[in-house]
Amino acid sequence: MDVRQMIESITRELLQSMIQSPRQENKPKWLYIFCDSRAHESFDDQFIALQNNGVCHDILFLDGETSSWLGMHRIECGGAGKIITADEYAPLPLEVPKEYDGVIIPEIDLDNAARVAAGLKGTIKAEIVFSALVLGKPVLIGEDVPGLKRSDRRCLKTLTLPPAYQKLFLRHIGAMKELGVEFYPQKSLAEAAIRKSRAKAQTQAQTGEQSGAGADAQTIVSAKLLTAEWVRAQADFPDQQLVVREGTIVSPLATDLLKEKGIVVHYVR
């Protein structure tokens, strides 16, 4: 047997075993940011609602103003030249929103609100909000909050800001709204995330239909694995094009054969 054929045969078997294994559905995922490791306890019902509606979530616990925990990874931020991650696998705060459809912050304080409103960084919340807004990701924040950190409330034994600071806090909230931050009652944050996830899914579905219709009405190949034998078995390719679904695997030999024939592969959703 030719070496290339042997490699293709082995590759086909491996890829086929991967295809036959169940794939995890590409579900929307949101990031919750809590002040400490106990702040999430009153949000269990929201997590259940997200799960029941097919929306995943991760929780980031703040370990201070400039450090936090996302799973087993400790994330830190700092000034220029300072360490910003505590382990080699932890993402930078600015990188965190890339993996999520949106960010939910149930409670924000005067300090972080001021940083976000002024476009400043330096804390975990401020950097993640800045990154999410730049990337066009939705940021949802609880509107029924006092503006005082949980730790400050415990230390100062008070639940509200004085009137002057309260006015300043409201001004910062107005500035954040202008930047694109959305405010909802804490109990409605999960509902807002579910609505946005559904709207995004509908938009993607409509876009996929339009892109599929724009492929010159060609037949979309539904096979999950295209081999050289499959390519050779085709009588012809209309307009020298092959339209397949995203996620379709084209073997190396099939790719070489398509190039030799001058066939262009188009991927659609």
Side-chain angles (χ1 to χ4, degrees):
M1 179 184 293
D2 183 70
V3 175
R4 296 183 66 181
Q5 292 179 349
M6 180 179 66
I7 294 176
E8 181 186 4
S9 177
I10 296 173
T11 303
R12 187 187 305 118
E13 291 179 4
L14 292 173
L15 294 177
Q16 195 65 38
S17 64
M18 293 170 58
I19 293 172
Q20 290 174 353
S21 63
R23 291 185 175 182
Q24 183 177 5
E25 186 180 358
N26 186 21
K27 296 181 179 180
K29 184 165 66 172
W30 288 69
L31 176 67
Y32 271 82
I33 304 178
F34 289 103
C35 297
D36 54 55
S37 59
R38 294 193 303 169
H40 72 292
E41 295 174 354
S42 60
F43 288 81
D44 288 343
D45 290 346
Q46 294 199 27
F47 301 151
I48 294 173
L50 291 174
Q51 183 179 9
N52 290 342
N53 286 274
V55 180
C56 303
H57 73 279
D58 282 344
I59 300 176
L60 185 147
F61 296 113
L62 293 178
D63 192 33
E65 286 304 308
T66 60
S67 61
S68 58
W69 288 93
L70 180 58
M72 296 299 294
H73 295 306
R74 181 180 174 87
I75 301 173
E76 294 188 354
C77 70
K82 295 183 179 179
I83 296 175
I84 52 180
T85 54
D87 68 74
E88 60 180 326
Y89 301 108
L92 306 177
L94 288 176
E95 294 177 332
V96 171
K98 292 181 180 180
E99 305 299 325
Y100 298 93
D101 291 85
V103 176
I104 298 176
I105 304 177
E107 185 171 332
I108 196 166
D109 55 85
L110 176 62
D111 175 39
N112 280 288
R115 290 177 182 274
V116 172
L120 299 176
K121 294 179 282 186
T123 65
I124 295 291
K125 284 183 180 179
E127 292 198 17
I128 289 180
V129 171
F130 173 82
S131 175
L133 293 177
V134 170
L135 294 174
K137 305 287 184 72
V139 178
L140 314 182
I141 297 180
E143 64 182 6
D144 44 351
V145 296
L148 271 172
K149 299 182 181 68
R150 284 166 56 93
S151 58
D152 291 343
R153 297 200 295 270
R154 288 193 295 265
C155 177
L156 301 176
K157 303 303 180 184
T158 183
L159 300 177
T160 58
L161 290 167
Y165 275 124
Q166 183 64 30
K167 291 181 180 179
L168 180 61
F169 182 56
L170 293 176
R171 287 202 297 270
H172 292 328
I173 289 179
M176 286 191 288
K177 290 180 178 179
E178 293 180 0
L179 293 174
V181 178
E182 301 178 46
F183 287 81
Y184 297 91
Q186 284 187 337
K187 64 180 182 180
S188 302
L189 290 171
E191 296 176 4
I194 293 169
R195 289 197 304 270
K196 289 185 173 297
S197 297
R198 288 176 176 171
K200 182 179 179 180
Q202 292 176 355
T203 301
Q204 291 178 340
Q206 293 174 357
T207 303
E209 292 174 358
Q210 293 174 358
S211 63
D216 297 331
Q218 293 186 1
T219 302
I220 300 176
V221 176
S222 59
K224 296 182 179 180
L225 174 64
L226 302 184
T227 64
E229 285 80 4
W230 183 91
V231 175
R232 295 190 187 98
Q234 304 309 305
D236 61 351
F237 293 91
D239 300 325
Q240 292 295 95
Q241 296 184 15
L242 173 63
V243 183
V244 298
R245 295 286 185 186
E246 285 187 359
T248 300
I249 299 173
V250 183
S251 72
L253 283 181
T255 300
D256 293 341
L257 189 56
L258 289 169
K259 288 181 179 179
E260 292 176 4
K261 293 176 172 291
I263 308 300
V264 180
V265 181
H266 293 284
Y267 292 89
V268 298
R269 293 181 180 275

